[in-house]
Amino acid sequence: AASVPWLLKNILATGNPLYPFIYPSGAMDAFRLEQYQGYPIWGDWRELLLLPWRATAAGHEGAPGYGASIGPLILGLAPICIAGWLLKLDPRLRRLLPAAALAGLGLVSWAVAGRLSGYLLQTRLYLAFFPALALLAGGGYRVLARIRYPEVRLGRLAGSLVVLVLGLNLLNIGLDVLSKGAVQTAVGIKSSQQYLDDNLGWYAPAVRSLQELPGDGRILMLWEPRSLYCAPRCQPDEVLDRWRRDLEKLGQPAQILAEWRREGLTHLLVHRAGAAFIRQEDDRYSPAEWQALDELLGMLAPVAEFGEAYTLYRLGP
């Protein structure tokens, strides 16, 4: 019920309630959909059969695969709730059956989708059913709290572990916020521009140079999905498919360049570090496609370089 407005919005805008997934719709034609959903599958059979454990043990922020850390509490406590219900340790656990059904359906969907596309393994796509997992973890804590041995109260032990995990999580987040300078910026010790430079890498000076371009020039980005601080002048490479899509459609670098100029694009920003990553990780690209890119860039005049990350080219004749 909570997701119905989002589904209706997608149907009205694109004709696909799950846009941009499943089938071609809106701006996602068959080629773009294959590029997006056909990202190489990460991991092996363990991602299918041992998903909760793998998402907890192998998932951490910025890493390939799951790309997020979810902590050990759900993995440790939710199964205890299920065991408590099966053993009839607390009749009130039956109230959590809807949460268990939702969590189970979500985990099965996650496991299956993760074997269809590398993108569909990412934890962030499944956060909608994590509240159900959290309820089960709470039920597991309640089961432990009811079990008492003469010398050990499992509830107090479990509570100490929960406090420890949440405390370490808070410490980790706090140190991360401090190291990135968010607090210093909020209190005026550090400027907003310095904060962006410190946290966005070469993207910050690259976009600043785009803001300073004269006139109403429009910029195409390759292998850069962000358009922060550059919209609406910039056209980001939203699903990292722009080069393959234009090459598939137009065939030759010279025709691609002519089409970009007809669209009114005046500059090209190439995220070279992103292209290098795709070249290493995505084997769907052929050597001929990379050769065609080198040929096109050889026709253009470089305007500026930003470290080893970005190169700005002029598209004008």
Side-chain angles (χ1 to χ4, degrees):
S3 59
V4 164
W6 173 72
L7 298 175
L8 290 176
K9 181 267 294 181
N10 276 355
I11 291 175
L12 292 174
T14 69
N16 179 0
L18 298 178
Y19 181 84
F21 299 107
I22 310 301
Y23 58 87
S25 55
M28 297 293 289
D29 57 24
F31 182 87
R32 298 194 75 191
L33 193 66
E34 187 280 328
Q35 175 75 9
Y36 189 48
Q37 294 188 170
Y39 193 77
I41 295 172
W42 187 88
D44 50 37
W45 61 269
R46 293 175 295 176
E47 272 55 58
L48 179 63
L49 300 181
L50 303 174
L51 176 67
W53 182 85
R54 290 289 293 166
T56 304
H60 59 274
E61 195 71 26
Y66 297 97
S69 174
I70 61 177
L73 293 180
I74 288 176
L75 179 65
L77 294 176
I80 295 176
C81 176
I82 302 298
W85 174 69
L86 294 175
L87 297 174
K88 300 181 179 180
L89 297 180
D90 188 338
R92 283 174 290 187
L93 292 177
R94 288 179 298 179
R95 300 174 184 174
L96 296 179
L97 284 178
L102 176 59
L105 179 61
L107 288 172
V108 170
S109 301
W110 187 1
V112 172
R115 306 318 298 157
L116 299 177
S117 169
Y119 281 135
L120 296 180
L121 187 66
Q122 296 179 24
T123 303
R124 64 185 178 87
L125 299 177
Y126 305 94
L127 294 179
F129 71 83
F130 269 62
L133 290 172
L135 285 173
L136 296 181
Y141 174 79
R142 182 174 183 83
V143 169
L144 292 177
R146 291 175 59 87
I147 300 176
R148 296 188 180 185
Y149 291 100
E151 302 296 333
V152 179
R153 290 187 176 183
L154 293 181
R156 290 186 177 180
L157 179 60
S160 299
L161 292 176
V162 169
V163 171
L164 175 63
V165 170
L166 295 180
L168 291 175
N169 195 28
L170 180 62
L171 177 63
N172 181 58
I173 293 174
L175 292 176
D176 184 58
V177 170
L178 289 174
S179 67
K180 291 182 177 179
V183 175
Q184 299 91 316
T185 304
V187 300
I189 299 175
K190 178 184 290 189
S191 69
S192 298
Q193 190 60 63
Q194 185 61 48
Y195 175 78
L196 295 177
D197 289 342
D198 292 343
N199 289 282
L200 295 181
W202 286 107
Y203 180 85
V207 171
R208 194 156 54 243
S209 73
L210 301 182
Q211 295 171 339
E212 297 170 353
L213 289 175
D216 55 355
R218 296 172 57 209
I219 304 97
L220 174 66
M221 295 174 160
L222 290 184
W223 294 288
E224 176 52 78
R226 300 171 293 181
S227 59
L228 297 169
Y229 307 104
C230 187
R233 297 184 70 182
C234 292
Q235 290 188 12
D237 198 353
E238 297 171 324
V239 295
L240 305 179
D241 69 336
R242 181 65 188 252
W243 174 246
R244 290 196 79 203
R245 180 159 46 100
D246 285 356
L247 189 61
E248 172 75 12
K249 177 182 177 181
L250 300 171
Q252 297 296 326
Q255 294 174 322
I256 295 173
L257 180 57
E259 178 63 24
W260 288 351
R261 288 170 177 168
R262 278 194 294 269
E263 292 179 13
L265 297 169
T266 59
H267 292 80
L268 173 69
L269 183 70
V270 178
H271 187 194
R272 290 186 288 133
F277 176 82
I278 293 295
R279 190 166 190 168
Q280 180 180 357
E281 298 293 331
D282 194 341
D283 58 7
R284 293 174 296 175
Y285 283 80
S286 67
E289 289 172 314
W290 294 113
Q291 183 178 354
L293 175 67
D294 293 336
E295 182 179 342
L296 181 139
L297 296 181
M299 304 176 185
L300 304 176
V303 176
E305 292 192 359
F306 306 92
E308 297 181 355
Y310 296 93
T311 301
L312 179 64
Y313 296 90
R314 182 181 294 107
L315 292 179

